[in-house]
Amino acid sequence: ITFIGDDYTASSLARFHTDVTNFSNYLLTYQPYKSRAAQILFHYVDNTADLGCFRWPGIPRLLVCNDADVIDRVNNAAVPYDKIFVIFNNTEYGGSGGNIAVAYNGTDGKKVFVHEFGHSFANLLDEYLLYTTPGTITNTVQANCYAGTGAAAAWAGLVGSADYTTGCNYPNWRG
């Protein structure tokens, strides 16, 4: 897992290093990462260039970056990676999963990292129902989620079926 920062300056790279350490350590408190910690390598790329990160219009908590710029920066640094994660130096809540995942580094940043990394790394779906009535959180389920029925074949040998919930969905977001 390679981290790269956006919106950090040369004088704030020490903060980026602390964020990388905090995010990495927090991920390793969760299964299956905890039991496989010896198999996970963390790297980082010091970056002060703009990676084109922005908040999606109309969905301010959806934070995305220019994937091509991110990949170019990591490749130019010659740092190995299976997954790239951008830490956005900003105190306003936000993040997203995908080919390149991103999270802000504010109060809940490390929690957002684990959540968004799950989307990128394991194709996990959101584990909660949200906004079934616009602006109102109607139900939250704090569990890893598999949208199918029965055991998740892709996760066999990685995590036991007791460690996730089947049948979860997020009906408001399709894609």
Side-chain angles (χ1 to χ4, degrees), residues 4 51 65-75 84 86 100:
I4 186 168
L51 298 176
C65 301
N66 183 316
D67 286 3
D69 286 350
V70 172
I71 292 168
D72 283 348
R73 289 278 171 191
V74 173
N75 285 338
I84 299 172
V86 177
I100 304 295

Side-chain angles (χ1 to χ4, degrees), residues 41-106:
L41 297 175
F42 296 101
H43 304 279
Y44 64 87
V45 173
D46 285 340
N47 176 62
T48 57
D50 182 16
L51 298 176
C53 297
F54 67 97
R55 295 181 185 284
W56 199 264
I59 310 173
R61 66 185 179 88
L62 181 58
L63 183 60
V64 296
C65 301
N66 183 316
D67 286 3
D69 286 350
V70 172
I71 292 168
D72 283 348
R73 289 278 171 191
V74 173
N75 285 338
N76 289 338
V79 176
Y81 66 89
D82 289 313
K83 291 295 178 185
I84 299 172
F85 199 92
V86 177
I87 303 175
F88 186 59
N89 188 22
N90 194 283
T91 59
E92 185 180 344
Y93 184 93
S96 68
N99 185 39
I100 304 295
V102 60
Y104 83 122
N105 66 344

Side-chain angles (χ1 to χ4, degrees), residues 2-175:
T2 293
F3 292 94
I4 186 168
D6 188 47
D7 236 16
Y8 289 87
T9 63
S11 63
S12 66
L13 285 177
R15 165 70 194 260
F16 171 65
H17 298 157
T18 298
D19 291 340
V20 168
T21 299
N22 290 340
F23 282 33
S24 301
N25 289 343
Y26 194 70
L27 179 70
L28 297 177
T29 66
Y30 288 92
Q31 292 295 356
Y33 312 108
K34 182 177 182 176
S35 61
R36 295 175 178 267
Q39 297 171 299
I40 302 171
L41 297 175
F42 296 101
H43 304 279
Y44 64 87
V45 173
D46 285 340
N47 176 62
T48 57
D50 182 16
L51 298 176
C53 297
F54 67 97
R55 295 181 185 284
W56 199 264
I59 310 173
R61 66 185 179 88
L62 181 58
L63 183 60
V64 296
C65 301
N66 183 316
D67 286 3
D69 286 350
V70 172
I71 292 168
D72 283 348
R73 289 278 171 191
V74 173
N75 285 338
N76 289 338
V79 176
Y81 66 89
D82 289 313
K83 291 295 178 185
I84 299 172
F85 199 92
V86 177
I87 303 175
F88 186 59
N89 188 22
N90 194 283
T91 59
E92 185 180 344
Y93 184 93
S96 68
N99 185 39
I100 304 295
V102 60
Y104 83 122
N105 66 344
T107 305
D108 290 322
K110 63 187 182 181
K111 293 177 184 177
V112 174
F113 159 63
V114 171
H115 174 93
E116 301 303 349
F117 184 72
H119 292 309
S120 290
F121 178 70
N123 296 318
L124 293 176
L125 299 176
D126 282 314
E127 68 277 12
Y128 49 82
L129 301 175
L130 185 63
Y131 301 122
T132 53
T133 304
T136 304
I137 298 174
T138 57
N139 184 27
T140 58
V141 177
Q142 300 298 317
N144 285 322
C145 185
Y146 172 60
T149 56
W155 301 346
L158 296 175
V159 65
S161 59
D163 293 326
Y164 61 88
T165 302
T166 58
C168 296
N169 60 17
Y170 195 6
N172 307 67
W173 288 19
R174 306 284 185 216

